Amino acid sequence: MASKMEFVEFVAEQLSKAGDIRFKSMFGEYGIYCNDKFFGMVCDDMFFIKITKKVLEEFPDIPKKSPYPGAKEYLYIEDLDDREFMCRIAVLTCENLPQPRKKIGRASCRERV
């Protein structure tokens, strides 16, 4: 079941104080980005955040769940009404993820050959 746009927009609004939040459609579901870092996803109207060591240390009781069959586990964020908590965990997660790699366009690839 694909997520409803209203739910995705609600999650993005709740995260808005964490940074530049955007979402991108991915195979009927949505990837969530903060300051251009992919850090979470919305699947079946549920919100998931990537697992980092620092977040696990600070929030050991957050349940872990796979967003779809065959996927690795993510943190499953149940309390979407707690905006402060959502922003705090989003910022902490993104601080502990590597910087996104620069995309190389096709012209750049041809030039290197």
Side-chain angles (χ1 to χ4, degrees), residues 27-59:
F27 309 107
E29 298 298 351
Y30 295 87
I32 307 293
Y33 296 77
C34 182
N35 301 328
D36 291 325
K37 281 189 183 180
F38 174 76
F39 79 99
M41 59 177 52
V42 172
C43 295
D44 292 331
D45 289 334
M46 295 183 286
F47 179 49
F48 300 90
I49 290 182
K50 285 186 171 187
I51 296 173
T52 63
K53 184 179 176 183
K54 189 73 172 170
V55 172
L56 283 178
E57 289 171 2
E58 193 162 328
F59 303 101

Side-chain angles (χ1 to χ4, degrees), residues 104 107-113:
I104 298 174
S108 298
C109 291
R110 286 189 205 124
E111 292 170 7
R112 296 186 336 180
V113 175

Side-chain angles (χ1 to χ4, degrees), residues 55-68:
V55 172
L56 283 178
E57 289 171 2
E58 193 162 328
F59 303 101
D61 297 328
I62 296 176
K64 295 171 209 65
K65 205 174 187 181
S66 293
Y68 53 88

Side-chain angles (χ1 to χ4, degrees), residues 5 11 74 83 98 112:
M5 181 55 70
V11 169
Y74 278 64
R83 177 180 278 196
R112 296 186 336 180

Side-chain angles (χ1 to χ4, degrees), residues 1 3 15 38 52 62 71 78 83-85 91 95:
M1 173 178 101
S3 296
L15 293 166
F38 174 76
T52 63
I62 296 176
E78 297 175 282
R83 177 180 278 196
E84 184 179 317
F85 167 73
V91 168
E95 286 175 352

